[in-house]
């Protein structure tokens, strides 16, 4: 069970390559959006085909079954698809100096929140751990501060806190979508 969560969160942490590449390599917002749109369409097509075409479903299960959650096995989009869509929407909606930290809070903060929350499941809100929430803040905030080029520190602190509160609060929407879009919105308001 812990291997599954570590595998999922390792991929989640690796997704930080998207905002960091946007910041340091592909500074062109249009190019990044085009690449993420292609990835989103590809992911959505895979999701649709895996439930309709048995050979695609068999290949998908062989490759990823060990790390899928129960709802993802049946009919739901995977967290990876939501993660790509969340990156796309966040980069579309916000300037780079807001989008990058919001996506760092998602890739790093959400990962550490889940890992620490599973390891220290005390003080729960629903099925989430408050200890995980603090781990998410204290892991993602230093990285956001490190790559920050513009924002005042208090905006990033409030952004990290809001991102992890969004992660903590039960919601029917996937947090790979809500964490970056809502924490980005809050940082824009604070700014």
């Amino acid at each position: 069970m812990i291997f599954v969560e570590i595998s999922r969160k390792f991929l989640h942490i690796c997704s930080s390559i998207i905002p960091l590449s946007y910041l340091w390599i592909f500074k062109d917002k249009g190019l990044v959006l085009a690449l993420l749109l292609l990835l989103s369409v590809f992911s959505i097509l895979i999701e649709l085909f895996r439930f309709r075409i048995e050979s695609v479903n068999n290949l998908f299960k062989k490759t990823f079954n060990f790390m899928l959650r129960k709802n993802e096995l049946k009919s739901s989009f995977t967290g990876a698809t939501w993660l790509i869509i969340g990156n796309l929407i966040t980069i579309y909606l916000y300037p780079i100096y807001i989008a990058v930290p919001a996506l760092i809070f998602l890739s790093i903060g959400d990962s550490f929140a889940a890992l620490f929350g599973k390891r220290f499941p005390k003080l729960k809100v629903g099925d989430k751990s408050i200890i995980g929430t603090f781990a998410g803040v204290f892991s993602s905030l230093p990285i956001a501060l490190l790559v920050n080029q513009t924002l005042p520190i208090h905006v990033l602190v409030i952004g990290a806190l809001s991102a992890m509160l969004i992660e903590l609060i039960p919601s029917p929407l996937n947090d790979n979508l809500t964490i970056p879009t809502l924490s980005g919105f809050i940082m824009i308001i604070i700014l």
Side-chain angles (χ1 to χ4, degrees), residues 8-41:
R8 288 178 67 91
K9 295 312 167 188
F10 175 75
L11 291 175
H12 212 66
I13 289 168
C14 287
S15 75
S16 64
I17 197 165
I18 296 170
L20 295 177
S21 294
Y22 178 36
L23 181 64
W24 292 325
I25 300 170
F26 306 108
K27 295 179 186 228
D28 181 350
K29 185 173 185 169
L31 174 63
V32 173
L33 287 173
L35 291 171
L36 286 170
L37 181 61
L38 285 172
L39 276 173
S40 296
V41 168

Side-chain angles (χ1 to χ4, degrees), residues 45-163:
L45 289 175
I46 296 268
E47 297 281 7
L48 296 174
F49 290 157
R50 78 180 170 112
F51 295 117
R52 290 176 177 77
I53 301 171
E54 185 147 347
S55 60
V56 173
N57 195 27
N58 290 337
L59 178 63
F60 192 87
K61 282 182 178 179
K62 256 186 210 174
T63 309
F64 301 110
N65 205 35
F66 76 97
M67 65 177 14
L68 295 177
R69 295 201 169 119
K70 288 179 187 174
N71 64 318
E72 295 173 334
L73 286 169
K74 295 180 181 167
S75 63
S76 176
F77 278 10
T78 63
T81 297
W82 285 115
L83 186 124
I84 294 168
I85 294 169
N87 273 264
L88 173 68
I89 292 170
T90 303
I91 290 173
Y92 175 77
L93 289 176
Y94 303 115
I96 191 169
Y97 56 88
I98 294 289
V100 169
L103 293 171
I104 293 295
F105 301 146
L106 170 64
S107 61
I108 305 298
D110 186 41
S111 298
F112 279 85
L115 291 171
F116 276 78
K118 298 259 189 251
R119 179 69 179 97
F120 304 103
K122 305 283 186 219
L123 305 170
K124 295 186 101 168
V125 173
D127 64 342
K128 306 281 180 106
S129 160
I130 293 175
I131 292 172
T133 300
F134 284 114
V137 171
F138 290 118
S139 62
S140 62
L141 183 57
I143 295 169
L145 288 166
L146 186 67
V147 301
N148 179 44
Q149 298 175 339
T150 315
L151 294 175
I153 292 172
H154 74 277
V155 174
L156 288 172
V157 170
I158 292 169
L161 288 169
S162 64

